[in-house]
Amino acid sequence: MALAARSWLGLSGSIRQSQSRQAREIAEAGLAQLIESLNKDYAYLLIKDLSNWSDNSYTSSICTNSLTGTPATSSSIGNNGRYILMDYDFQGSPFYGGKATIRMRGERLKGDNSIAATAIVEETLEIKPKSCTTSFGEPTVTSGFPGLLGQQVVLGNNDVFGTLSGNVLCLQCYDGTDYDNLTREQQENYIQMKNNGYVAGQIFLGPIDLPPVPEPPAGLNFDTPISITKSTLITAGTNTGPCRVEARGSGSPITHCVVDSVELNSKKEILTVDTSAGDVRIYVRGDKLVLTGGAAIKHLPPDAPASSLGLFGRPSDPTDSYPDQLIRLAGAASTNALWAYFPDGNMGINGGSKETAECDSIGECTGGDINGAVWAKVWNGSSSNVAQLVVPADIGTQLFNKYGPQYALGIRDYVALGVSRWSSWINP
């Protein structure tokens, strides 16, 4: 009897071990199916936690070859197995990628569908960004960053230069969903590009969640905003007039300036901003920032990066409770580097090109009217205006480093690869 009992216990243990092993294999199969589905059809979810997969918010716009919705998070494996996704946790940024930890439960079922054994498998994978149209490791054809962004874009005869980042993103120019079927000519028509207009990068038509417009730190005390109506010099590090300096320890200070409106209307009226001693950010609270008659913004020193000078408008006004801000930019005799973000602004560039863009053999350029990026509610390019926007290849990295990952917007794809950690255990 004792021998029979030991034999039975040994057989039972062997069966349990076999079922536990099968449960682990089921979990691994579920992981493989999920990763394949994410890589193939739902790559934009690779940079979102499981709890946010269904919230319809997109820090990166969706590539045209992707599906909307979510992949299957539970399914059957064979006749006696079932997997259930327990967690997907992403650590990183949309711009650089990061790591994702996936926890999957596998269940070995009995004939009556009750659970015979359960196992948990957890993997950590590398999440890498790439272009929508290329495989990982192939040369990048676009950064996906929108140098020109608007809910509506009327490009007219404006030019957008820069092969990598001279991309145009229009959120509401096209109300269909078959973005992948649009030809380049159709895309140009939807952004109302005229014969003399030009876009060096890609044209993207579709939704993306916009970050909030930057605001000055709450602890700074500003005077009542006044309008700028004559030549004005703003120097980084100066606590005067509309400006206050944010000390940042060992880092360079940031000078924040809050103004009402800016209205300059002759070539003798120049808004000069010197960022030699640190970044300057100007917040326009009033109805307009309009430069006409040769008036312009002059950013010093000439080699300052675009991220050193930020021009920011009022927050987005989706119900149109207030009239849109009127924004008409103009550069001085030489190119100006800046980032302008007016979520409730009707924006354009006054005057023709004052410094013609000069491009190298790979399509990256200098010169033009504005060197940087412009985001607005509406981009309104005049049909007779040949203004030039030159977008630096690294502008997304500049904004990521100075403003944070939420401002490194892009239309880019992702891929999960290279398991860096694996573990499993039996769930009693």
Side-chain angles (χ1 to χ4, degrees), residues 53 79 157 184 281 361 412 422:
W53 278 9
N79 297 322
N157 286 319
R184 176 69 179 213
R281 301 177 184 180
S361 60
R412 56 181 67 92
W422 183 96

Side-chain angles (χ1 to χ4, degrees), residues 122-143:
E122 186 174 279
E123 284 186 357
T124 298
L125 302 96
E126 299 287 337
I127 307 298
K128 299 291 188 180
K130 68 179 188 67
S131 300
C132 289
T133 56
T134 60
S135 299
F136 182 74
E138 292 183 351
T140 298
V141 297
T142 176
S143 69

Side-chain angles (χ1 to χ4, degrees), residues 183-248:
T183 65
R184 176 69 179 213
E185 182 179 3
Q186 289 173 318
Q187 294 172 339
E188 292 173 353
N189 288 336
Y190 278 115
I191 63 171
Q192 301 183 52
M193 189 173 88
K194 302 294 185 182
N195 290 337
N196 292 324
Y198 175 71
V199 177
Q202 306 293 312
I203 299 173
F204 301 104
L205 307 173
I208 195 171
D209 284 337
L210 298 177
V213 63
E215 289 286 340
L220 298 180
N221 295 316
F222 294 91
D223 296 336
T224 301
I226 60 173
S227 294
I228 295 177
T229 57
K230 62 181 180 180
S231 289
T232 300
L233 171 63
I234 294 176
T235 303
T238 304
N239 268 308
T240 58
C243 302
R244 299 293 181 269
V245 178
E246 174 193 3
R248 301 172 64 239

Side-chain angles (χ1 to χ4, degrees), residues 194-336:
K194 302 294 185 182
N195 290 337
N196 292 324
Y198 175 71
V199 177
Q202 306 293 312
I203 299 173
F204 301 104
L205 307 173
I208 195 171
D209 284 337
L210 298 177
V213 63
E215 289 286 340
L220 298 180
N221 295 316
F222 294 91
D223 296 336
T224 301
I226 60 173
S227 294
I228 295 177
T229 57
K230 62 181 180 180
S231 289
T232 300
L233 171 63
I234 294 176
T235 303
T238 304
N239 268 308
T240 58
C243 302
R244 299 293 181 269
V245 178
E246 174 193 3
R248 301 172 64 239
S250 59
S252 297
I254 298 175
T255 303
H256 302 269
C257 307
V258 178
V259 303
D260 185 32
S261 291
V262 178
E263 191 168 8
L264 304 176
N265 52 31
S266 85
K267 62 183 180 181
K268 295 181 179 180
E269 297 178 346
I270 305 295
L271 173 58
T272 303
V273 183
D274 188 341
T275 62
S276 299
D279 294 351
V280 173
R281 301 177 184 180
I282 301 174
Y283 308 86
V284 180
R285 304 302 198 201
D287 296 333
K288 64 182 68 175
L289 189 166
V290 176
L291 309 173
T292 61
I297 295 175
K298 186 175 184 179
H299 182 190
L300 300 175
D303 60 350
S307 56
S308 290
L309 174 56
L311 305 179
F312 305 121
R314 294 193 298 242
S316 176
D317 178 25
T319 61
D320 282 331
S321 300
Y322 304 96
D324 295 347
Q325 289 180 294
L326 179 63
I327 312 301
R328 293 294 179 266
L329 301 175
S334 59
T335 299
N336 276 281

